Amino acid sequence: MAKANSDSIFSLASRMANRMNSNDVSQERVDEIIKSGEQFWTCFDALVNADNNTESQITSWEKFYKKYFSLDMKFDHAIVPQHQSGFDRLILIPQGLSINTAYSTCQEYFKCWKWMEGDIESKMQESERGQTKTATARWFRDLVEADEKTANKSANDLTRENIQGITLLECIVYEIKYFSETGKHLNIKNITLCSGSRWAGDGVPSAGWGGGGFGFSVVWYDAGVRDSGLRSR
């Protein structure tokens, strides 16, 4: 990506100045902003560096899929949604990946447990069985524990609120990615409700780092269950 030229930078600065003038911003307020320390400049840096952050995460995902899945993926043409403040973790799922493959990869690197006999995909709704048809990219909050704002909200509640939560495939891949970066695990105290997915019987898969030596655990709940420790992403 080409570096911004001086004309475009001055054009941006001019638009900011015009916007401030049109809003009758006082000199005192301008002085406060200049002296505000990190709050203003953190927001400003996040805005101007959004593209660089996205590119670096895409590159990281390409290396990840090469190392852990032996996939030569190129996401340079991936349609990545616009970054929103507070949603700083990009999760990329390539075309051709499956839940069973992702779970098997988990088993290669750390202990895993699932509540069902047989493979996971056979218990999923039809649309989530087999390989993904297209690549997907979504932003999530970059948190070890799932979002506290979704605590005590069932999958049905989230659907009514038009909140499309994380899928089971995204959750499994995220677990491996986080482990690859830190050597640690997600969801130590709580469980991620994978409200973007469904079992064939309309239950909702969930995942977390189980106590008692279970390791990374895939379980399920009824779509109407609410609990403070059951949270979507």
Side-chain angles (χ1 to χ4, degrees):
M1 184 175 293
K3 184 178 180 180
N5 58 54
S6 57
D7 287 342
S8 64
I9 293 173
F10 283 124
S11 176
L12 174 61
S14 177
R15 290 185 63 184
M16 291 176 64
N18 288 336
R19 179 67 64 86
M20 294 177 74
N21 282 332
S22 66
N23 290 331
D24 295 325
V25 179
S26 67
Q27 181 61 50
E28 289 77 10
R29 182 57 182 144
V30 172
D31 291 339
E32 288 176 3
I33 292 173
I34 293 173
K35 298 175 182 178
S36 63
E38 291 301 315
Q39 183 176 2
F40 173 79
W41 297 111
T42 297
C43 294
F44 182 81
D45 289 344
L47 177 64
V48 299
N49 291 323
D51 286 340
N52 290 336
N53 178 52
T54 300
E55 288 184 0
S56 66
Q57 290 204 50
I58 289 175
T59 299
S60 176
W61 277 106
E62 291 172 346
K63 293 178 180 178
F64 166 79
Y65 279 114
K66 176 64 175 178
K67 178 177 180 180
Y68 288 86
F69 292 86
S70 299
L71 295 174
D72 290 313
M73 305 304 304
K74 290 296 180 184
F75 291 103
D76 49 340
H77 296 299
I79 300 176
V80 179
Q82 184 175 358
H83 175 263
Q84 298 180 35
S85 178
F87 292 80
D88 302 318
R89 168 67 71 162
L90 181 65
I91 296 182
L92 285 167
I93 302 295
Q95 180 181 354
L97 187 63
S98 70
I99 292 172
N100 285 347
T101 297
Y103 184 78
S104 294
T105 301
C106 275
Q107 292 178 304
E108 294 178 19
Y109 292 95
F110 41 81
K111 190 170 184 179
C112 300
W113 180 84
K114 51 186 172 60
W115 72 271
M116 79 288 291
E117 295 290 336
D119 68 281
I120 297 176
E121 283 180 38
S122 64
K123 304 299 188 294
M124 301 295 293
Q125 61 183 351
E126 187 67 32
S127 63
E128 296 187 74
R129 298 176 188 175
Q131 297 181 340
T132 53
K133 303 299 188 293
T134 59
T136 60
R138 295 207 293 161
W139 292 98
F140 295 87
R141 296 190 186 279
D142 195 5
L143 303 170
V144 174
E145 300 296 332
D147 195 349
E148 187 177 3
K149 293 181 180 179
T150 64
N152 287 309
K153 290 187 177 183
S154 69
N156 288 341
D157 293 333
L158 296 171
T159 298
R160 283 190 288 268
E161 294 178 21
N162 199 31
I163 297 175
Q164 186 179 5
I166 195 168
T167 66
L168 178 59
L169 178 56
E170 289 170 331
C171 188
I172 295 173
V173 171
Y174 185 15
E175 178 70 28
I176 307 170
K177 184 69 160 61
Y178 185 77
F179 176 79
S180 75
E181 296 170 350
T182 67
K184 299 178 182 180
H185 297 279
L186 300 165
N187 308 298
I188 304 300
K189 299 178 181 179
N190 302 285
I191 299 172
T192 289
L193 178 68
C194 302
S195 58
S197 292
R198 289 292 188 276
W199 295 133
D202 201 40
V204 183
S206 305
W209 191 255
F214 285 98
F216 178 68
S217 303
V218 177
V219 296
W220 72 277
Y221 292 88
D222 289 331
V225 170
R226 302 182 184 96
D227 190 271
S228 60
L230 188 62
R231 308 170 180 181
S232 185
R233 292 183 182 269

